[in-house]
Amino acid sequence: MRALLSLIERLGAATMAERALGEAITSATLDAARDAGLVTKAPRATTVPCPGVGCARDVREGRGRLVGVCVREPSECATVKLTPDDLAQAALSVDGLVRLVRTLFAITARASTPSEALLLGEHDHAGASRDVFLAMHPARMPLAPFLALRERAPRATLVLAPTADAIDPDLVTRFAPGAHVELAILADALVVRDRRIVLAPRLRLVRPTSTSTSTSTSTSTSTIRTRLPPYSSWSDLHLRLADGLTLLVTVARTTIRVSYLDLDLGHRNNREPLLGWKVLVAVCEGHGKWDWMDFGDKDSVPQLVSELQRTLMTAFDLAESPFARRNRRDGYKPKFRASPGPGGNSGDDDARNEDGGAWPD
């Protein structure tokens, strides 16, 4: 879904070759997008590009054949044979996305006035109505001032954006769930299940009780777990940095975005990241290797790691400790796979998105 939403965010209601669209997203996502009206059939292409020349070939049909003929005089490239698949096109539908979002979020449409974001309508939230906007192209609008303006409105607001690619991570943190103005990312909220686009379960942490410091799959249910394929140990998980405040958590070919707040690694009062989050960042930056002495001494670090382990065990609903203690030189080694990802300083050559493609720069 993320790859498709990224295309719609960047291109809008554009027409593109079906073959190119099929290479950008999975077949399951494409089928679901067609069923939901996010992708529709478009008229056949009338031109095809001439590679390396900067012109185009006209499409001509005769005697049951399709050919591409260079339009320059004299011709600079040869006539080529074409097939219907070469000319098949699909249209991305912003209207289809609007209809889908209104349905999934139970939004009642309302007349709108011109604004930087599209007013989708209103829906019930926490016993009251709140306005819902769609920031279709966050990079092309002053998103931060718009969110600040909505903070002064008496009614609560939900602002949806297709992806977080062009959004300052601090905005996602500041306008988190529970705030008067909430900024939500559709790439995190929408998933494909059984070839249908549905809402993903909301991330809610199940905290350990005062009588227990660990969780088990028989006594608690982590909603992070419900958003991922089945996993049984930390070795099934791959953690990467999406940015300085967010992880990409992958199991098999499914990836979800999880912030430090989702992991309960933010300060209770000012919501600043705790030291445990900085440990996770260092672990990912070092592909699992990190200098534990950078975070304290031989007395304080074991306590820090112990607290971090309990928090992660709760968030991911695993009774097993996520770190293995080696020795003084090696310190603590993660049992999960860790790498810098698209938000890391070292880069990550094997970072892949949930549709199987490379994460964009």
Side-chain angles (χ1 to χ4, degrees):
M1 274 304 300
R2 183 186 184 281
L4 174 61
L5 290 168
S6 180
L7 284 173
I8 296 176
E9 177 179 295
R10 289 187 290 107
L11 304 178
T15 298
M16 60 187 301
E18 277 195 359
R19 183 170 291 166
L21 182 60
E23 292 173 351
I25 63 178
T26 65
S27 60
T29 299
L30 182 55
D31 289 343
R34 283 175 171 149
D35 289 343
L38 273 64
V39 175
T40 61
K41 195 77 174 176
R44 180 176 94 177
T46 58
T47 63
V48 291
C50 297
V53 180
C55 64
R57 296 182 174 99
D58 275 349
V59 176
R60 298 178 184 175
E61 184 174 6
R63 298 180 181 178
R65 294 192 309 162
L66 292 168
V67 294
V69 180
C70 184
V71 298
R72 291 194 172 182
E73 291 291 344
S75 295
E76 296 186 16
C77 48
T79 298
V80 296
K81 294 181 180 179
L82 300 171
T83 68
D85 286 344
D86 295 326
L87 306 179
Q89 296 191 117
L92 304 175
S93 175
V94 174
D95 290 341
L97 179 61
V98 168
R99 288 192 297 269
L100 175 67
V101 169
R102 279 179 172 150
T103 298
L104 293 180
F105 285 83
I107 298 169
T108 302
R110 204 173 77 214
S112 62
T113 56
S115 172
E116 294 92 342
L118 172 66
L119 175 62
L120 297 179
E122 62 184 22
H123 73 168
D124 293 331
H125 177 73
S129 293
R130 66 175 176 177
D131 296 328
V132 184
F133 289 84
L134 176 62
M136 190 65 244
H137 305 288
R140 307 177 199 173
M141 65 172 285
L143 182 59
F146 177 79
L147 294 170
L149 178 65
R150 294 304 305 177
E151 276 190 308
R152 298 194 289 272
R155 285 166 60 94
T157 302
L158 171 64
V159 178
L160 301 168
T163 75
D165 293 346
I167 297 177
D168 185 339
D170 289 341
L171 291 179
V172 180
T173 301
R174 177 182 172 187
F175 299 98
H180 182 65
V181 177
E182 178 183 342
L183 175 60
I185 307 302
L186 290 177
D188 298 333
L190 305 184
V191 295
V192 175
R193 292 287 183 268
D194 298 323
R195 294 187 178 269
R196 293 178 59 245
I197 300 174
V198 298
L199 280 179
R202 197 64 170 272
L203 282 176
R204 298 189 187 279
L205 293 181
V206 181
R207 302 181 189 278
T209 64
S210 58
T211 59
S212 175
T213 59
S214 64
T215 63
S216 68
T217 56
S218 62
T219 59
S220 66
T221 301
S222 162
T223 52
I224 293 180
R225 177 183 284 277
T226 66
R227 298 181 64 199
L228 290 165
Y231 59 86
S232 59
S233 69
W234 289 104
S235 61
D236 297 326
L237 298 170
H238 185 187
L239 273 56
R240 306 190 303 271
L241 292 175
D243 51 55
L245 301 173
T246 314
L247 287 177
L248 299 171
V249 181
T250 300
V251 174
R253 287 178 56 85
T254 298
T255 299
I256 63 172
R257 187 182 294 260
V258 179
S259 77
Y260 73 97
L261 292 174
D262 297 324
L263 296 176
D264 198 23
L265 291 174
H267 194 280
R268 301 290 186 202
N269 297 325
N270 59 22
R271 296 163 65 91
E272 288 295 315
L274 295 174
L275 190 56
W277 169 255
K278 297 177 182 179
V279 168
L280 271 184
V281 170
V283 169
C284 291
E285 291 281 12
H287 292 273
K289 296 180 180 179
W290 60 292
D291 189 349
W292 62 276
M293 292 299 289
D294 287 345
F295 295 87
D297 55 32
K298 61 183 179 65
D299 296 319
S300 60
V301 171
Q303 181 179 350
L304 170 64
V305 174
S306 178
E307 293 174 355
L308 176 59
Q309 289 186 142
R310 287 197 298 270
T311 301
L312 295 179
M313 289 161 64
T314 298
F316 289 95
D317 191 21
L318 285 170
E320 176 191 7
S321 167
F323 288 94
R325 180 65 189 268
R326 297 297 183 179
N327 50 49
R328 182 178 178 85
R329 179 176 61 84
D330 296 332
Y332 298 84
K333 182 177 181 181
K335 297 178 182 178
F336 52 86
R337 184 180 171 195
S339 50
N345 293 330
S346 302
D348 186 15
D349 293 337
D350 61 356
R352 313 297 291 179
N353 65 22
E354 71 272 27
D355 288 325
W359 288 99
D361 293 331

